[in-house]
Amino acid sequence: MSEEMKKKRPAPDPNSAKFKLGAIAAKAYADAQEAKDRGEMVGWCSSNFPVEIPETLGLAVCYPENQAAGIAARGGGARLCEVSEADGYSNDICAYARISLAYAKIKDAPEQNMPQPDFLLCCNNICNCMIKWYENLSKELHIPMIMIDIPFNPDYEVSEDEVTYIREQFWDAIHQLEEITGKKWSEEKYKEVMEYSGRTSRAWLAATACARYEPSPFNGFDLLNHMAVMVTARGKKEAAEAMELLLKEYEENHVQGTSTFRAEEKYRIMFEGIACWPWLRATSTGLKSRGINMVTTIYADAFGFIYKDFDDMCRAYAKVPNAINLELARDKRVKLCKDNHVEGLLVHTNRSCKLWSGFMYEMSRQIGEACHIPVASFDGDQADPRNFSGAQYDTRVQGLTEIMESNKEARA
Amino acid sequence: MRNVKEIMEQLASIAAHPEEQKSAYLAAGRKVVLTAPVYTPEELIHSFGMVPMGVWGADLELKESKRYFPAFICSVMQSILELGMKGAYEGASAILIPSLCDSLKVLGENWKYGVPSIPFIPMTYPQNRKPVYGKAFTKKGYLRVIAELEKIAGEPFDDKKLAESIEVYNAHNACMREVAKELGCHPEITAKERSAVFKSAWFMRKEEHTKLVEELLEALKEQKKEGEKLPIVITGVLADSPSLLEIIEKNGLMIAADDVAAESRQYRTDAVKDENALDSLAQKFCAMDNCSVLYDPDKKRIPMIVDMAKECGAKGVLVVLTKFCDPEEFDYPLLKRACEEAGLFSILVEVDRQMENYEQAGTMIETFREMLSETK
């Protein structure tokens, strides 16, 4: 972006949801560093580990996936990946993992620093790659690893057997953490966290559902940024308040006929997959320049953690996007597409994520058929900039646009 | 009594023609259930009188499977689906796929649509398998598999029959451990022959394979150990590529021991007595370790490979890495370092099932041989 363009951008309104959500995400890093400086133990935590556990125990945690995305978005992805590759890690391994393992070794990345961990909180409900990544962190840093295994569910419903297995592990993890950190579990605190988590989730679901309005009162790329708060700070009061503010703003935008999508909304698509962080601007501009608003993603559904009790919470963590079978994953997306009047599906075939991309061809075919919408895919990577071609992206998006245009004409 | 060569020829023929084995079992009235990598409760299938047959893909060009998989999923999964879509497994009553790695999870999902004629039976194993709840969850997973097998067999599960099957499998395990050790002392046995001993096990009822391997063991003990080769340890998911095995042979290397998922990793753990046979089988999985797809923050697999090399007098470890197999890729940097620290040479050869040009692998293994020769 040119300097001239930068100057034109208005100063962020400190009372806006965007500002507040950004501040919460940034504060998470500052809080963790302050805790470390005070001599408290700090954990590294995988993104879909039940945040209720560290939150209730009052533990400071950082999120390596969030850090890796930040480093990649600010241009440091390739540099850190290469550090890991020099140690023998294949460049086929998830780029978040390569960045994180490199950071654990060199302990500095100006793009996004965070304190080194004293313990690790791992949950494989997003992938088994996470287990291997955290095993290696645990071994290299000589620190304990707490593992909650939430297996990929081949069935549509979560069985009681699975809930039992998860519940036992949650309590095991809590007891291990009490022993490691000296902090104590409090039912009262848990209820408070559960309440805030519910409030935040309900507001998030309602805000993302504002995409049903035409035009949408927001640019879907906003969701990619705001979801950081949903992942890391769902159980905090300030997160609930900021999400409720976001909902209010989106509703107001709708009433006033405005949107955070700063172009005419000609087409509405669903974006599938993790953002291509190193190429966020290129991927966003490629859509916006054609009047395409990415109105929804599976994140809109994924982080609505609404549950009534401990067992229900276990069930909710077994229903995150990468832990569910093709049919349930498909149905959730079909609903999002239909509810939000989506006209096309753009799929990021993400080289870093075997699980997310591994049955996407079949699933996206089925979504396309069920919703009568065209599907286009492009090759990319969530954090390694070397696995993306701007020309291919442009061609694929152009192809998608042409089909959407022709569908529009046929309907007219 | 047959000699080693004759028995080896039979094993090699079985290893090379799984479709003939399948047809013969089907013709004999037995049902066949396919088992995907890396671990499945084969004993359950066996207890119903059905034949579990391993599917680890094959060296072939991928066409059909590309409609389902992106290029960065390992070629084992891709070629299993390819074979399924091409009809190579027709006649099988089901396929049992565990969810031990991300690529296996997606294989199961794609299978449902790519090969609808062969039902998919999922097996969800726990990664936290050491605590009591891990065993309980394993057992629940087995009960789910049993329910599917009962439908295929048309008869109820019988714990006593499972106890008999477990005995068959334990005996086979013991036999395979013994033959692995014995083969490591016979330089006259080629890498290809050794591979056939392990590969054939996937396509036979285990009691039949045990008989053949016992016969082989007897013959091996009678046979003079001849020739001189450099002992190595080989590790990876698969090491059955004929081209790779030829290179190993050409360079005068002898596989003294292996940590290959399709080979010795299968036979390390026996089922021990428990409350009943099903508990015993569940406990067997929970007792398993030292594998890249089984959770272990202590990474015990790494020192285990180093110790294995020391025990068998190997000076080097050949890492055969199946491209895009991330569980193995994550272990490699730690293994490489552990080997260096222990004074062992290690070399990484990346393979996949579509590889035609082994020139680079050949050069690397030649260099490996030279390094080993210098320390001899």
Side-chain angles (χ1 to χ4, degrees):
Chain A
M1 186 192 281
S2 72
E3 284 305 306
E4 196 184 352
M5 287 279 283
K6 271 186 189 169
K7 277 176 201 162
K8 279 182 185 170
R9 181 180 279 185
D13 174 2
N15 294 316
S16 68
K18 184 182 175 184
F19 183 88
K20 286 176 193 281
L21 289 165
I24 292 168
K27 192 170 176 291
Y29 287 103
D31 286 351
Q33 188 57 56
E34 278 171 26
K36 186 85 179 177
D37 295 343
R38 283 196 304 272
E40 284 183 32
M41 295 178 99
V42 169
W44 280 8
C45 184
S46 58
S47 67
N48 269 322
F49 187 91
V51 67
E52 289 79 357
I53 293 178
E55 190 68 33
T56 302
L57 288 167
L59 299 173
V61 290
C62 307
Y63 292 83
E65 289 152 82
N66 190 268
Q67 182 202 28
I71 289 172
R74 291 169 198 130
R79 191 182 79 252
L80 270 83
C81 282
E82 282 165 8
V83 170
S84 285
E85 287 159 23
D87 281 338
Y89 286 101
S90 164
N91 62 6
D92 296 326
I93 285 177
C94 161
Y96 280 0
R98 276 180 283 150
I99 289 172
S100 177
L101 287 158
Y103 185 74
K105 183 185 179 188
I106 62 175
K107 305 188 195 305
D108 183 43
E111 295 88 354
Q112 182 63 68
N113 272 306
M114 66 184 196
Q116 289 295 312
D118 301 292
F119 58 89
L120 299 163
L121 303 179
C122 179
C123 183
N124 64 330
N125 51 358
I126 44 175
C127 60
N128 276 23
C129 167
M130 190 64 74
I131 303 176
K132 302 301 293 183
W133 163 7
Y134 275 55
E135 274 181 2
N136 286 17
L137 284 174
S138 171
K139 190 71 187 165
E140 298 286 9
L141 300 172
H142 311 287
I143 55 172
M145 169 175 174
I146 283 117
M147 227 293 272
I148 292 182
D149 170 36
I150 300 186
F152 180 85
N153 183 9
D155 300 315
Y156 204 86
E157 302 295 338
V158 182
S159 69
E160 282 312 302
D161 294 335
E162 186 169 357
V163 171
T164 305
Y165 175 55
I166 297 168
R167 185 204 312 122
E168 297 282 339
Q169 292 182 83
F170 276 26
W171 284 113
D172 211 352
I174 290 164
H175 296 141
Q176 285 178 68
L177 280 167
E178 284 181 330
E179 201 166 301
I180 292 166
T181 66
K183 305 260 177 137
K184 289 285 159 217
W185 180 263
S186 146
E187 276 300 314
E188 204 178 325
K189 175 73 178 165
Y190 170 63
K191 275 181 192 148
E192 190 184 295
V193 170
M194 192 165 82
E195 199 180 304
Y196 285 131
S197 177
R199 255 181 75 187
T200 313
S201 296
R202 277 188 291 274
W204 167 260
L205 288 173
T208 56
C210 287
R212 68 188 179 279
Y213 298 130
E214 295 183 73
S216 166
F218 64 87
N219 180 344
F221 274 78
D222 295 355
L223 306 182
L224 302 178
N225 291 319
H226 301 335
M227 97 192 171
V229 171
M230 286 310 296
V231 172
T232 63
R234 234 174 22 249
K236 291 182 195 294
K237 186 182 174 201
E238 53 270 37
E241 289 170 352
M243 280 303 165
E244 284 163 357
L245 181 61
L246 185 74
L247 168 62
K248 188 167 162 270
E249 287 179 2
Y250 285 174
E251 290 287 4
E252 281 170 4
N253 283 357
H254 167 60
V255 171
Q256 290 161 9
T258 58
S259 173
T260 60
F261 184 68
R262 312 273 183 219
E264 185 197 346
E265 185 181 280
K266 291 186 191 162
Y267 310 102
R268 301 157 62 84
I269 63 160
M270 178 172 184
F271 182 86
E272 184 56 58
I274 299 175
C276 206
W277 293 112
W279 299 100
L280 201 58
R281 184 168 296 279
T283 47
S284 162
T285 306
L287 298 179
K288 203 168 130 187
S289 64
R290 293 175 172 90
I292 299 173
N293 189 5
M294 181 267 273
V295 291
T296 192
T297 84
I298 191 62
Y299 293 128
D301 173 275
F303 295 110
F305 282 90
I306 296 171
Y307 47 85
K308 56 183 189 300
D309 54 30
F310 201 89
D311 273 11
D312 212 23
M313 177 176 78
C314 297
R315 208 171 281 114
Y317 279 97
K319 283 187 171 178
V320 300
N322 274 5
I324 55 178
N325 73 2
L326 188 149
E327 293 75 23
L328 181 57
R330 172 200 63 204
D331 291 352
K332 280 173 178 282
R333 287 160 170 89
V334 166
K335 183 174 187 314
L336 284 169
C337 284
K338 288 187 173 171
D339 287 353
N340 298 308
H341 322 295
V342 161
E343 299 164 274
L345 175 63
L346 182 61
V347 177
H348 174 198
T349 303
N350 179 359
R351 198 178 171 96
S352 269
C353 195
K354 293 180 172 63
L355 187 47
W356 202 323
S357 299
F359 60 80
M360 190 54 68
Y361 290 178
E362 175 59 22
M363 184 167 74
S364 53
R365 270 194 295 271
Q366 293 188 19
I367 297 168
E369 281 169 24
C371 302
H372 310 291
I373 54 171
V375 178
S377 67
F378 68 96
D379 300 316
D381 195 287
Q382 61 202 31
D384 187 336
R386 298 166 292 183
N387 295 331
F388 174 82
S389 152
Q392 189 215 41
Y393 179 77
D394 208 53
T395 310
R396 300 288 171 88
V397 172
Q398 182 57 32
L400 182 70
T401 312
E402 285 166 14
I403 303 173
M404 289 193 294
E405 177 66 39
S406 129
N407 287 350
K408 251 190 186 12
E409 284 169 6
R411 276 198 300 270
Chain B
M1 186 180 153
R2 296 192 296 173
N3 63 26
V4 170
K5 191 171 173 281
E6 287 164 333
I7 306 163
M8 281 294 193
E9 274 171 6
Q10 187 184 353
L11 290 167
S13 169
I14 292 165
H17 302 290
E19 68 288 349
E20 287 176 12
Q21 289 293 112
K22 185 190 71 181
S23 301
Y25 284 127
L26 291 175
R30 287 199 183 272
K31 286 182 174 164
V32 168
V33 174
L34 309 173
T35 59
V38 179
Y39 306 106
T40 51
E42 282 194 31
E43 292 90 334
L44 291 179
I45 301 166
H46 188 273
S47 76
F48 281 94
M50 298 190 277
V51 186
M53 286 188 78
V55 290
W56 291 72
D59 300 339
L60 82 169
E61 195 191 340
L62 300 174
K63 282 183 185 161
E64 303 296 323
S65 61
K66 286 181 178 173
R67 281 167 48 206
Y68 290 89
F69 284 127
F72 48 84
I73 301 292
C74 85
S75 56
V76 178
M77 304 305 140
Q78 302 243 19
S79 60
I80 291 172
L81 188 64
E82 182 76 21
L83 287 167
M85 293 178 75
K86 282 188 170 151
Y89 302 134
E90 283 311 309
S93 298
I95 183 168
L96 183 50
I97 306 176
S99 56
L100 286 165
C101 76
D102 294 329
S103 300
L104 278 163
K105 295 173 194 174
V106 299
L107 172 65
E109 296 307 302
N110 284 326
W111 184 274
K112 290 185 280 193
Y113 298 96
V115 195
S117 57
I118 301 177
F120 158 50
I121 304 176
M123 174 57 214
T124 306
Y125 279 115
Q127 286 292 346
N128 266 327
R129 61 201 182 282
K130 301 296 175 189
V132 175
Y133 53 73
K135 183 185 165 191
F137 190 66
T138 309
K139 195 174 165 184
K140 296 286 185 185
Y142 285 170
L143 285 169
R144 187 189 192 289
V145 172
I146 285 170
E148 300 292 335
L149 294 175
E150 282 177 333
K151 283 185 227 162
I152 297 167
E155 61 180 72
F157 168 70
D158 183 341
D159 199 72
K160 278 187 196 135
K161 285 186 182 165
L162 177 60
E164 288 164 18
S165 297
I166 285 175
E167 275 184 31
V168 168
Y169 273 74
N170 280 353
H172 184 249
N173 283 357
C175 186
M176 293 306 283
R177 290 193 291 262
E178 197 185 337
V179 80
K181 214 168 176 182
E182 187 64 29
L183 289 167
C185 312
H186 285 266
E188 76 280 9
I189 300 295
T190 67
K192 225 176 188 171
E193 285 171 327
R194 183 188 185 280
S195 171
V197 176
F198 288 93
K199 196 167 179 177
S200 55
W202 291 106
F203 312 136
M204 294 180 78
R205 296 184 76 220
K206 292 294 184 279
E207 51 271 63
E208 294 167 9
H209 194 253
T210 302
K211 239 183 225 171
L212 268 181
V213 176
E214 278 173 351
E215 192 187 352
L216 176 69
L217 272 165
E218 286 301 311
L220 276 170
K221 281 168 192 164
E222 295 294 316
Q223 181 166 290
K224 200 178 157 203
K225 292 166 183 157
E226 272 183 309
E228 204 175 326
K229 283 180 179 169
L230 293 164
I232 59 161
V233 162
I234 189 164
T235 176
V237 168
L238 273 176
D240 65 352
S241 152
S243 306
L244 177 74
L245 295 169
E246 267 166 34
I247 295 169
I248 291 172
E249 197 56 35
K250 201 179 92 188
N251 282 282
L253 304 176
M254 180 179 68
I255 300 167
D258 81 85
D259 167 56
V260 173
E263 299 183 7
S264 288
R265 274 190 225 173
Q266 297 294 323
Y267 307 115
R268 287 177 190 154
T269 312
D270 291 342
V272 294
K273 285 252 180 289
D274 210 316
E275 279 178 41
N276 52 51
L278 190 57
D279 275 297
S280 164
L281 192 63
Q283 184 53 40
K284 176 188 171 185
F285 175 74
C286 299
M288 288 168 89
D289 268 318
N290 301 321
C291 179
S292 57
V293 297
L294 301 176
Y295 168 54
D296 178 16
D298 298 326
K299 310 290 280 190
K300 292 188 289 291
R301 175 184 171 223
I302 309 299
M304 185 216 68
I305 295 172
V306 170
D307 290 346
M308 185 189 279
K310 285 180 185 166
E311 273 169 33
C312 68
K315 295 276 186 280
V317 176
L318 174 61
V319 182
V320 181
L321 189 73
T322 300
K323 194 163 171 58
F324 300 120
C325 174
D326 54 2
E328 293 278 313
E329 287 171 347
F330 270 102
D331 282 358
Y332 173 66
L334 280 71
L335 175 60
K336 177 174 159 253
R337 202 169 60 210
C339 286
E340 281 164 11
E341 286 166 4
L344 293 167
F345 289 107
S346 73
I347 199 157
L348 178 138
V349 175
E350 205 176 46
V351 296
D352 70 41
R353 282 209 170 283
Q354 286 70 56
M355 201 156 130
E356 283 175 357
N357 186 348
Y358 278 80
E359 216 167 289
Q360 197 187 359
T363 311
M364 290 173 82
I365 292 173
E366 209 177 305
T367 311
F368 183 54
R369 195 260 334 266
E370 281 164 16
M371 292 191 303
L372 294 176
S373 306
E374 282 167 22
T375 61
K376 207 180 147 193

